[in-house]
Amino acid sequence: MADEGKILALGIDLGGTKILTAVANAEGKMLSRDHSITPATEGPPAVVRSILESVGRALDQANIVVADLTTIGIGAPGLSNPETGILFTSPNLPGWKDVRLRNIVEKELGKKAFLINDANAAAVGELYFGAGRGARNFIYITVSTGIGGGIIIDGKIYTGSIGTAGELGHMVIDDEGPQCNCGNRGCWETLASGTALAREARYRIKKGAATSIPEHVAGDLEKINAEAIHEAAQSGDKLANELIAQAAYYLGVGLANLINIFNPEVIIIGGGLSNSGDMLLKPAFEEAGRRAFKQSCEAVRFARAELGRNSGVLGAAAFALEKIREADRIPQR
Ligand SMILES: [Zn+2]
């Protein structure tokens, strides 16, 4: 049983492929953590059932009950409104349209909950417990199959007028560029993500480029991913190095835009592709430096995200705790 008066938040990180649930204290220490598969193709009711089962296991592991929790935070992919708790739509969750996810979780668990976009949650996680500690203004980006982000202004997540701000991956970099999942063309994530790298590699290989990339995926071109390209690049493959240099260039173009718009103290980079380290990030930072205003560039530093796969779940918990604190401070009218 939890200590009397101890602050505990439940974080739920709903993804298109996995559900992470954790009980954390106000310092970001996890008392439990449950990982399960999202039955995404089975639609919202099945996913909600899986979330509730995961919550049950996370509570059991932490040896507490719902009543011991201070609050619940839900991070979910796609466009959502933190004020109304409605998940408008999600490219990773087929069949989800205007789902009142917060209300459903509140009703099922009998506890106040909060909803936030998953990448925004990760930014809040880094703000409270990771590379953003102590910073008032920063941009968080996660570069993996897509590019997600979060904007921290004056120590708070900026969610915009209806909650959909921070879709950094859909900043248009090339108006005639590749088709994006969002329906637009040439979004940042179509040019500088793992998906972009893999698409470009397959295209070049089909056109006859000489490369060792297929050897890293047993010859199956459909299995080409950022990791395989990174491995090939490390062994000196010319095409792989070219592809990474191209992704780094576009990453830098987008970073320059963010630096000029937000003048952040820090840009925190997470996600699978950030593991490519200097090979990708160094040329990207250099490109950003060539494009953004000199003074803004001198003021910004780049940092690697510190929370890894836990950023979303811890951020969801931290966001909920922040909302509870806010509600305590603001007298009810
Ligand atoms: Zn897009």
Side-chain angles (χ1 to χ4, degrees), residues 170 180 182 187:
H170 299 282
C180 183
C182 75
C187 294

Side-chain angles (χ1 to χ4, degrees), residues 169-172 178-190:
H170 299 282
M171 157 169 58
V172 177
Q179 184 72 44
C180 183
N181 289 335
C182 75
N184 213 336
R185 295 195 86 88
C187 294
W188 199 18
E189 71 174 31
T190 70

Side-chain angles (χ1 to χ4, degrees), residues 194-195 197-209 211-226 228-229 239:
T195 309
L197 272 175
R199 183 202 61 234
E200 212 41 35
R202 277 193 287 272
Y203 174 75
R204 298 281 290 275
I205 291 165
K206 281 176 185 162
K207 283 189 76 179
T211 170
S212 67
I213 295 170
E215 291 166 24
H216 296 269
V217 288
D220 184 352
L221 298 195
E222 289 311 307
K223 291 211 172 106
I224 291 177
N225 56 15
I229 296 165
L239 177 67

Side-chain angles (χ1 to χ4, degrees), residues 141-161:
I141 67 165
T142 170
V143 191
S144 56
T145 51
I147 296 180
I151 301 159
I152 302 289
I153 296 177
D154 278 338
K156 289 183 74 140
I157 186 78
Y158 176 75
T159 55
S161 69

Side-chain angles (χ1 to χ4, degrees), residues 10 12 21 23 34 50-60 66 69 72 109:
L10 178 81
I12 301 168
T21 307
V23 175
D34 182 76
S50 291
I51 292 173
L52 296 172
E53 285 165 10
S54 178
V55 168
R57 288 189 298 267
L59 293 174
D60 286 349
V66 174
L69 292 170
I72 299 168
L109 295 175

Side-chain angles (χ1 to χ4, degrees), residues 139 141 143 147 168-175 186-193 244-262 267 269 280-293 297 302:
I139 304 289
I141 67 165
V143 191
I147 296 180
L168 307 179
H170 299 282
M171 157 169 58
V172 177
I173 301 287
D174 175 359
D175 64 344
C187 294
W188 199 18
E189 71 174 31
T190 70
L191 296 163
S193 67
I244 290 177
Q246 186 180 312
Y249 168 82
Y250 284 121
L251 196 57
V253 173
L255 290 174
N257 290 339
L258 294 174
I259 291 167
N260 280 347
I261 297 169
F262 293 104
I267 293 181
I269 303 189
L280 178 79
L281 299 182
K282 195 162 172 277
F285 299 157
E286 285 167 0
E287 188 58 38
R290 280 190 285 274
R291 286 173 179 269
F293 286 112
C297 273
F302 294 97

